[in-house]
Amino acid sequence: SSNVLELMEQEHERVQAHVKGSDGAVDTSDSEKVIYGLVQDSSSSHRSGRKGKTLKGGATMNIKRSLQRNMNVNWADTTRNSLLFLFFGYFGGRNSFSRTFLLLSSPLCFLIQTRPMKVAMKQLFYTMGEPPGILLSLLPAPQQAIMSLD
């Protein structure tokens, strides 16, 4: 503990010598930057975002963040389902309506998993007073219990 105190005193003296400068006058512009040997990094660009978080990266990073947030898609399963809809639309449709329905369902696999669509579906589902039992059975157990309450 005596070594730590000695090191702290040496660091304090070094900082005071730096602040006073060579002529003994206190330099106020540098005194704000140096805090016991730590120099504030003013060269890096920091922008404050929501709730005091610092954002870095510019416009492209903001676009990437927006895509990650709004396009939270299970890509492997969705691509497989989309290709299956295309395959069955081309080769399995018995009439023009079923063929068109299957082909149009392919891009819907991706669209349904976007964040705005999930929010809209959830709002629509919760505005229904009592959903039909078949729709209720598709929900996880906690949501089923919530929806079954009056």
Side-chain angles (χ1 to χ4, degrees):
S1 77
S2 63
N3 289 339
V4 173
L5 289 174
E6 184 179 329
L7 287 173
M8 288 177 64
E9 288 174 4
Q10 288 175 357
E11 185 66 15
H12 180 69
E13 291 171 5
R14 188 190 69 76
V15 169
Q16 291 303 320
H18 176 74
V19 169
K20 288 184 181 177
S22 59
D23 58 356
V26 175
D27 184 12
T28 58
S29 64
D30 269 350
S31 64
E32 295 173 359
K33 292 181 183 175
V34 179
I35 303 172
Y36 289 96
L38 300 176
V39 179
Q40 184 179 10
D41 187 17
S42 60
S43 62
S44 65
S45 63
H46 293 291
R47 291 178 285 160
S48 63
R50 291 181 2 175
K51 298 181 184 178
K53 295 180 181 176
T54 58
L55 297 176
K56 297 179 185 176
T60 57
M61 194 61 184
N62 288 334
I63 291 170
K64 287 180 183 178
R65 277 194 196 103
S66 176
L67 284 176
Q68 285 175 347
R69 182 169 187 242
N70 292 323
M71 294 292 291
N72 187 13
V73 174
N74 185 352
W75 292 102
D77 290 342
T78 305
T79 304
R80 186 196 66 207
N81 292 339
S82 178
L83 291 175
L84 284 173
F85 273 118
L86 287 174
F87 178 79
F88 289 121
Y90 282 122
F91 301 115
R94 296 191 181 265
N95 56 27
S96 64
F97 174 75
S98 64
R99 216 173 273 122
T100 305
F101 179 74
L102 288 171
L103 290 174
L104 289 177
S105 296
S106 178
L108 284 178
C109 292
F110 294 99
L111 186 66
I112 285 176
Q113 290 189 30
T114 61
R115 182 179 173 86
M117 186 62 80
K118 286 180 182 177
V119 169
M121 286 190 305
K122 190 175 278 190
Q123 287 175 344
L124 178 69
F125 193 78
Y126 285 135
T127 55
M128 294 186 335
E130 251 180 73
I134 189 72
L135 291 179
L136 195 60
S137 68
L138 297 174
L139 290 175
Q143 277 83 4
Q144 287 182 19
I146 291 171
M147 293 298 289
S148 66
L149 296 175
D150 288 335

